[in-house]
Amino acid sequence: MVKPDGVQRNLVGEIIRRFETKGFTLIGLKLMNVSKELAEAHYGVHKGKPFFPGLIEFITSGPVVAMVWEGNGIIASARKTIGATNPLNAEPGTIRGDYGVTVGRNLIHGSDAPETAQQEIALWFKEEELANWQPTLTPWIYE
Ligand code: DAT
Ligand code: MG
């Protein structure tokens, strides 16, 4: 998900480009405002932490771009591309490393495991919003 700061800073295309050119497959994509209920469900694991109220306020402050991407090893790979949670600790070349300076404005969310990805996809997308397709480039990306 491109967070509200990524949308406001015109980084949507740049962020999509990184996953697209890597060779991952886009399955779902939408620009949307986030309700408090959805934000709290999405970040439920962080409920009770000191930054939780600010995080919910931030995520609901403007539109986000929710996405579903598919590919071999994508979760670990995407989290490397995204970079460390605190952008000041994120390596140059990562999204957070290149564009962010503070943890509360770190531009992008990525699922951290297959199980949480499944839960998050179900939370953010209806079945019919996900495309079922086979890119013609597949044999040029996977042997
Ligand atoms: P990540 O987004 O890298 O998976 P996380 O799941 O630990 O990180 O936290 C979710 C988001 O909450 C994170 O992207 C930004 C915010 N956050 C985490 N730790 C924070 C902190 N110490 N202070 C402020 N915001 C924080
Ligand atoms: Mg997380």
Side-chain angles (χ1 to χ4, degrees), residues 2-15 58 63 87 95-102 105-107:
V2 183
K3 294 180 178 179
D5 52 339
V7 176
Q8 295 284 357
R9 291 182 54 198
N10 299 326
L11 289 169
V12 172
E14 166 62 18
I15 288 170
F58 167 55
I95 294 166
R96 289 168 173 168
D98 285 351
Y99 301 117
V101 289
T102 181
R105 299 287 184 270
N106 65 4
L107 300 155

Side-chain angles (χ1 to χ4, degrees), residues 3 43 46 51 55 79 85 96 103 106:
K3 294 180 178 179
Y43 280 124
H46 296 300
F51 61 82
L55 179 60
R79 288 193 56 98
T85 303
R96 289 168 173 168
V103 69
N106 65 4

Side-chain angles (χ1 to χ4, degrees), residues 43 45-46 79 85 109-112 120:
Y43 280 124
V45 66
H46 296 300
R79 288 193 56 98
T85 303
H109 165 82
S111 305
D112 60 14
E120 290 170 2

Side-chain angles (χ1 to χ4, degrees), residues 43-124:
Y43 280 124
V45 66
H46 296 300
K47 201 168 176 137
K49 295 183 185 169
F51 61 82
F52 185 76
L55 179 60
I56 299 307
E57 194 178 333
F58 167 55
I59 289 296
T60 57
S61 67
V64 304
V65 175
M67 303 182 281
V68 180
W69 290 90
E70 193 172 77
N72 284 10
I74 189 169
I75 292 176
S77 172
R79 288 193 56 98
K80 273 191 205 160
T81 296
I82 288 168
T85 303
N86 183 341
L88 291 182
N89 297 330
E91 295 294 328
T94 66
I95 294 166
R96 289 168 173 168
D98 285 351
Y99 301 117
V101 289
T102 181
V103 69
R105 299 287 184 270
N106 65 4
L107 300 155
I108 175 167
H109 165 82
S111 305
D112 60 14
E115 303 72 43
T116 46
Q118 284 310 326
Q119 288 164 12
E120 290 170 2
I121 292 167
L123 197 57
W124 287 84

